Every structure is written in structure tokens, then in C-alpha cells.
Amino acid sequence: FHEHVLCLSVDCPVETKKLGYKMQNEAGDVVDTYIPRKCSASGRIIGAKDHASVQLNIADVDEKTGTMTGTNKTYAVCGFIRSMGEADDSLNRLCMKDGICSGLTDQQQN
């Protein structure tokens, strides 16, 4: 039987730090119950109550065989960017920056 500090509130990490409790795994490593994500497009912190946010994992593909390599690139987009209709443009910009896709082709520009 292992004793763990369990917390059911949303702001648990702040409360446990104030009280001096720390969430630990069986190996004794300190682990937090909630780690917020950051929007890849805007840099905003994605809160726990942002139910409009999405996270996309884009698989890396071997150019010779066309199969997945087992690694991926993760993008998180907050609900604010999505509500403005800027998610597609932001993802295109991020993918071009990371070399996942190239610029527009001649067919897409027309």
C-alpha cells in the first residue's frame, strides 16, 4: 500500500506547494498533477477550462518509403486563435517553419 497525496481541485499544484506537500511517484520523483500547455501559435497558456483548444500530433514520415518513423511534432492551438478563424493559417505557418510542408504550389495560388 502506497500513500499518495491526492487532489481533486483544479488549482491543486498551487495549494500543495503552499502547504508543503508534493505529489511524488513510487520512485520518489516529484510530479505535478497538472502541467499547462502553451499555444504554439500565440504563446498563450492554455488553461484547464479552455475546451475549444486542440492538440495535433503530426507524424514524421520517411521520404523514401513513405512510412511513419515513430516520431511526431506536436502543436497546440488555443481556443482564442480558433475562435478568430486563424488556426489553419497558424498551423500552415508553423509547419512551414518546421519544414513539414513547403510554401504554396502553383495550383493553390490560383
Side-chain angles (χ1 to χ4, degrees), residues 5-81:
V5 177
L6 296 177
C7 184
L8 301 176
S9 66
V10 174
D11 54 348
C12 178
V14 175
E15 289 178 16
T16 56
K17 288 176 185 174
K18 285 180 183 176
L19 297 174
Y21 297 113
K22 294 181 181 174
M23 189 78 162
Q24 295 180 345
N25 60 11
E26 293 175 1
D29 299 327
V30 177
V31 293
D32 282 330
T33 56
Y34 174 70
I35 300 172
R37 293 177 293 159
K38 197 171 190 182
C39 178
S40 301
S42 66
R44 290 176 171 223
I45 297 292
I46 299 175
K49 297 293 182 178
D50 187 353
H51 298 293
S53 64
V54 293
Q55 180 170 317
L56 302 169
N57 293 323
I58 300 177
D60 292 326
V61 177
D62 185 358
E63 292 186 24
K64 292 181 181 178
T65 62
T67 59
M68 295 188 313
T69 61
T71 60
N72 59 25
K73 180 69 179 161
T74 302
Y75 298 106
V77 181
C78 66
F80 177 71
I81 297 293

Side-chain angles (χ1 to χ4, degrees), residues 81-94:
I81 297 293
R82 294 188 67 218
S83 69
M84 293 190 312
E86 296 292 326
D88 57 343
D89 185 49
S90 298
L91 286 171
N92 284 336
R93 180 178 47 81
L94 291 167

